[in-house]
Amino acid sequence: ARKDLGRHIMTTKIEHHAVLHTCEKLEEDGFEVTYLDVDQNGRVSANQVKEALRDDTILVTVMYGNNEVGTVQPIDEIGELLKEHQAYFHTDAVQAFGLLPIHVKNSHIDLLSVSGHKLNGPKGTGFLYASKDVKLSPLLFGGEQERKRRAGTENVPGIVGLKEAIKLSSEERDEKNEKYQSFKTIVADTLENAGVAFE
Ligand SMILES: *Cc1c(COP(=O)(O)O)cnc(C)c1O
């Protein structure tokens, strides 16, 4: 059962500032944050999460795909590990969303963030997925919009644009992924031909 007790948060050292600066602010507010190291490939392991996990951990936030080098984190394994723990599992899926098939239920993700403009959608839009058992306090006050979590009249053109961007990006997802994988092969081959070791 989720009790939401504790002040310990876990994240990684390679998050986007959207997460890192938020964690720093939470530290100022009295939360304790563990910043996990990554290996030479920029990856954290579920085992590192397991070792740093405490009874009072309330949130684990690990990005899905990295915005600098593209490393994909072991989200399924981390989700599986946290399934029976009180900590909510958030993933910053801003980079991964348009490229990888994501299943929040299968991966036991409680919270997932996506930004519209990274999908070629309108700037200033995005969405937060929250599973039914996550209790969220309002980010803004002054209205009942967005289930009382984000007050203010909705940006309808932005929402419609975001929906269209999601539709287009999911149609093109596999094709785009294949294209990017071929870029990776070209870079790897070029480096190898130049005598650079490449993993
Ligand atoms: C761009 C980006 C963000 C921030 O999204 P904005 O909508 O531009 O603020 C967060 N996380 C990752 C991984 C990103 O690439």
Side-chain angles (χ1 to χ4, degrees), residues 16-19 63 65-67 92-95 115-118 124-125:
H16 188 277
H17 282 157
V19 169
M63 73 193 328
N66 184 263
N67 50 301
D92 168 354
V94 171
Q95 290 294 332
S115 174
H117 74 104
K118 300 284 172 71
T125 67

Side-chain angles (χ1 to χ4, degrees), residues 39-102:
D39 67 12
Q40 72 271 26
N41 295 316
R43 196 170 282 116
V44 290
S45 68
N47 204 41
Q48 280 172 278
V49 174
K50 190 176 174 184
E51 279 173 9
L53 198 64
R54 311 189 326 207
D55 287 346
D56 65 339
T57 307
I58 50 168
L59 173 71
V60 175
T61 175
V62 175
M63 73 193 328
Y64 212 115
N66 184 263
N67 50 301
E68 301 283 352
V69 292
T71 310
V72 176
Q73 301 299 336
I75 295 300
D76 285 1
E77 285 90 329
I78 298 170
E80 186 64 34
L81 172 75
L82 295 174
K83 190 167 72 166
E84 307 297 338
H85 193 279
Q86 70 159 359
Y88 289 139
F89 182 28
H90 169 261
T91 186
D92 168 354
V94 171
Q95 290 294 332
F97 187 76
L99 283 173
L100 301 174
I102 298 175

Side-chain angles (χ1 to χ4, degrees), residues 11-31:
T11 188
T12 76
K13 290 185 179 172
I14 47 100
E15 298 297 308
H16 188 277
H17 282 157
V19 169
L20 286 179
H21 287 173
T22 308
C23 286
E24 285 163 18
K25 169 70 174 102
L26 288 167
E27 280 184 291
E28 283 173 23
D29 291 348
F31 290 87

Side-chain angles (χ1 to χ4, degrees), residues 4-191:
D4 299 322
L5 294 174
R7 303 189 74 74
H8 180 239
I9 293 167
M10 198 190 311
T11 188
T12 76
K13 290 185 179 172
I14 47 100
E15 298 297 308
H16 188 277
H17 282 157
V19 169
L20 286 179
H21 287 173
T22 308
C23 286
E24 285 163 18
K25 169 70 174 102
L26 288 167
E27 280 184 291
E28 283 173 23
D29 291 348
F31 290 87
E32 199 184 325
V33 183
T34 301
Y35 298 88
L36 297 176
D37 255 323
V38 294
D39 67 12
Q40 72 271 26
N41 295 316
R43 196 170 282 116
V44 290
S45 68
N47 204 41
Q48 280 172 278
V49 174
K50 190 176 174 184
E51 279 173 9
L53 198 64
R54 311 189 326 207
D55 287 346
D56 65 339
T57 307
I58 50 168
L59 173 71
V60 175
T61 175
V62 175
M63 73 193 328
Y64 212 115
N66 184 263
N67 50 301
E68 301 283 352
V69 292
T71 310
V72 176
Q73 301 299 336
I75 295 300
D76 285 1
E77 285 90 329
I78 298 170
E80 186 64 34
L81 172 75
L82 295 174
K83 190 167 72 166
E84 307 297 338
H85 193 279
Q86 70 159 359
Y88 289 139
F89 182 28
H90 169 261
T91 186
D92 168 354
V94 171
Q95 290 294 332
F97 187 76
L99 283 173
L100 301 174
I102 298 175
H103 300 281
V104 284
K105 292 254 156 62
N106 293 353
S107 302
H108 305 287
I109 294 166
D110 299 304
L111 295 151
L112 175 140
S113 321
V114 170
S115 174
H117 74 104
K118 300 284 172 71
L119 303 166
N120 301 322
K123 288 186 175 62
T125 67
F127 73 83
L128 173 70
Y129 160 83
S131 85
K132 281 210 182 76
D133 39 280
V134 175
K135 282 172 265 149
L136 285 173
S137 50
L139 179 67
L140 298 169
F141 296 88
E144 307 235 314
Q145 292 88 355
E146 307 199 33
R147 297 186 193 154
K148 297 186 188 171
R149 287 163 190 162
R150 193 175 188 280
T153 300
E154 294 90 348
N155 169 6
V156 175
I159 294 167
V160 174
L162 175 60
K163 179 176 174 265
E164 187 64 17
I166 290 170
K167 184 172 154 264
L168 292 173
S169 87
S170 54
E171 283 165 11
E172 295 159 2
R173 194 183 65 203
D174 295 344
E175 197 187 320
K176 223 157 93 184
N177 201 350
E178 229 168 82
K179 190 167 92 183
Y180 291 168
Q181 291 299 334
S182 76
F183 291 165
K184 179 182 164 186
T185 310
I186 294 168
V187 172
D189 288 350
T190 308
L191 287 172

